[in-house]
Amino acid sequence: MGLLAKKKQRREAEIPTSSMADIAFLLLIFFLVTTTIDVDTGIGMTLPPELDENVEPPPVKERNSLKILINSAGQVLLEDLPSSVAQIRSEVQTHVQNQGQDPRYSESPRKALVSIKTDRQTPYNMYIATLDEVWMAYFEIWDNEARGMGFLNYHEYRASLESGDENVIREKWPAQISLAEPDTGE
Amino acid sequence: MGHFTKKSKAKPEISTASLPDIIFMLLIFFMVTTVLREQEVQVRTILPQAEALTKIEQKRYVSYIWAGPEKLRGNRFGETRVQIDDAVIEDMTNIRNIMYRKLTEEPRLIVSLRVDETSEMGVVTDVKQELRKGGTLRINYSAKRDISGL
């Protein structure tokens, strides 16, 4: 009796761990396959809140807004002059950086506004191309400013900011892009 | 000479005891980073290309709206439709309610507009107006990096 009991106690029940790696591998492969590493990229915008019908939108001086019109055929009208998408970037830059010198352009960077108006039939990729050019104009201005502050580019400046810090560059050159209200008429 | 023979006899083996641990570490990494694949997209969205791109780092806050020609059987495409989650939207005025509900669940919501490049602005404007009514103001026009232009 005593001998038998002793023998049973000694035999320890062990789970074989040799297959553990294989099980883990299978799970790993599953998650590898389902993972999408690619980051979503796009042009970020903040829409204006819905307007109260009784409240008039704040008036903007004619010279402070740069109007870009894209018609249904995808043709660009820059301040009532037919032009190409490639011209937008430099035009936006002269408009924003005018500092009140040329009476046709903005009074100051903080008052400068870029307004994009489209038609219902405007091709979407033309709209994106225009928006892209406008943003690139601002990015280039910001890059310049960041270089003046001793950074390599604006991206590096952004990375150097702590969460509570004020973004001085954007404060100085705010990107004010207005996506005009569509015409309710017609 | 004797020393050499002795050395060659001893087989150097890498211990595999820690292999499961290493694999587990990798596994946990992928489990944490994985966002499981979402719904099947029923409209075609070939994204436009752009240069001034920003990345959306917090994928968890993102909600997608697809718009583009509806995929039909036999590789054909139909009318331009709007899709949210797994449903094609028939009545555009539903968007404001859907987005408002999403916003109350996640106040940091970013709406990513994945619009086909051949679409017209009409549908985009309609969606945008609905988003404003729903109060979801942070949007992102999804676009790919322009590879040819650089």
Side-chain angles (χ1 to χ4, degrees), chain B residues 123-138:
Chain B
V123 64
V124 182
T125 309
D126 289 345
V127 170
K128 233 165 55 187
Q129 289 304 100
E130 284 298 315
L131 288 177
R132 287 175 69 190
K133 290 203 173 80
T136 42
L137 301 177
R138 284 178 75 190

Side-chain angles (χ1 to χ4, degrees), chain A residues 98-162:
Chain A
N98 185 43
Q99 307 282 14
Q101 284 168 1
D102 193 323
R104 286 172 302 162
Y105 296 113
S106 74
E107 286 174 310
S108 73
R110 303 188 65 169
K111 283 183 180 169
L113 186 85
V114 180
S115 153
I116 303 171
K117 193 160 185 167
T118 55
D119 204 80
R120 281 196 76 84
Q121 273 80 45
T122 303
Y124 178 67
N125 56 0
M126 277 307 293
Y127 170 71
I128 289 295
T130 308
L131 204 57
D132 191 32
E133 284 298 311
V134 175
W135 273 112
M136 275 318 284
Y138 277 107
F139 278 160
E140 283 180 9
I141 293 171
W142 294 339
D143 270 349
N144 254 329
E145 191 74 22
R147 243 169 278 148
M149 289 163 72
F151 293 96
L152 202 63
N153 51 33
Y154 175 68
H155 191 76
E156 202 178 76
Y157 168 75
R158 269 289 295 274
S160 76
L161 286 179
E162 303 285 321

